Amino acid sequence: MSTVLITGANKGIGYETARQLVAAGHTVYVGARDADRGRAAADTLGARFVQLDVSDDASVEAAAKTIEADGGLDVLVNNAGVEPRAADGGFVPVAEVTADSMRSVFETNVFGQIRTLHAFLPLLQRSEAPVVVNVSSGLSLVRGIADPESPARFYPAVEYPASKAAVNVITVQYAKAYPGVRINAADPGFTKTDLNHNSGTQTVEEGAEVIVRLAQLGPDGPTGQFFDAAGPLAW
C-alpha cells in the first residue's frame, strides 16, 4: 500500500479521492489550507491531516518536512484549484479579466502545483513506485473550446482553462525530466462541486474515479499522458 498526499482534500473531488484511497487501504494525507476543516475531514475519513496552502512556500515546505519525518511519500495528487465565478455562479466576463485576476488563479492552479512538485519530488524519488497526478480539466484543450461542435465551446471564461492548459504542459515536461516517476494529468469531467457552484453533471464519485485509478499506477504504468474516465486523451 502507498502513502498518498492529496492537496485541497477537505471537500469536493479531493475529499472523495481521499475516501476511495483510504477504502483501498492506502495511508492518505488530507492536505488543506484551513486546519479545522482539514482535521475534521481527515478524522471523518480515517486519514491523516497536514496543513498545506499551495500558494505559500513556507506552508508547502513545512508539509514536506512533516511527511518526510513520518516516513515519506509515494503518491502526490495535485488537486487544489480555484475557478473564479460571479456571486450568482455566473462566469466572469472576459472584459473584466485583468492581469491580477489571472495571476490569482495561476497562483493556486499553476504555481501551486510547481511548489508541491518542487518540495515533494525529492521524497517521491525515494519511493519504489512514485506517482504524481495533476488534476487538469477537459477545458484545457484548446481544440475543444474552439470547436463550434464541442460541448466545451460554451465555456466563456479565460482564467480557469488557461491555467489548466498550463497544467498540461507542466505534466509533460516534468514527466520527461523525471522518467522514474509516473506523472500524468487527469480530467475528472464536469463534476458537481463548490468549485462550479454545484452546476456539474457528474457526482464526486464519478469525478474522482480517474484520479484514484492514476494514483494507484505501478512502476510500469504510463507517464506523461492525459486521462479521463474513458481512457487516454490526446493533448
Side-chain angles (χ1 to χ4, degrees), residues 5 8 12 16 33 36 41 65 76 94 122 147-148 159 164 190 193 203 218 226:
L5 166 64
E16 177 60 22
R33 180 174 52 187
D36 291 339
K65 290 179 181 177
L76 168 64
V94 173
D147 181 359
E159 298 106 319
K164 293 303 185 178
F190 190 30
T193 67
T203 66
F226 191 18

Side-chain angles (χ1 to χ4, degrees), residues 101-191:
S101 69
M102 182 72 82
R103 187 178 297 110
S104 177
V105 174
F106 270 58
E107 190 64 57
T108 296
N109 295 3
V110 180
F111 308 149
Q113 291 201 9
I114 295 294
R115 284 188 183 89
T116 58
L117 287 164
H118 183 75
F120 287 100
L121 272 167
L123 289 184
L124 290 168
Q125 289 181 286
R126 301 173 198 170
S127 169
E128 294 183 359
V131 171
V132 174
V133 183
N134 293 329
V135 178
S136 182
S137 168
L139 294 170
S140 66
L141 301 174
V142 177
R143 57 183 166 84
I145 58 176
D147 181 359
E149 303 301 319
S150 170
R153 172 77 176 195
F154 88 94
Y155 192 92
V158 175
E159 298 106 319
Y160 183 76
S163 72
K164 293 303 185 178
V167 166
N168 291 355
V169 174
I170 289 167
T171 300
V172 171
Q173 298 300 76
Y174 272 79
K176 286 159 55 179
Y178 293 89
V181 185
R182 306 297 87 187
I183 304 176
N184 295 289
D187 169 21
F190 190 30
T191 303

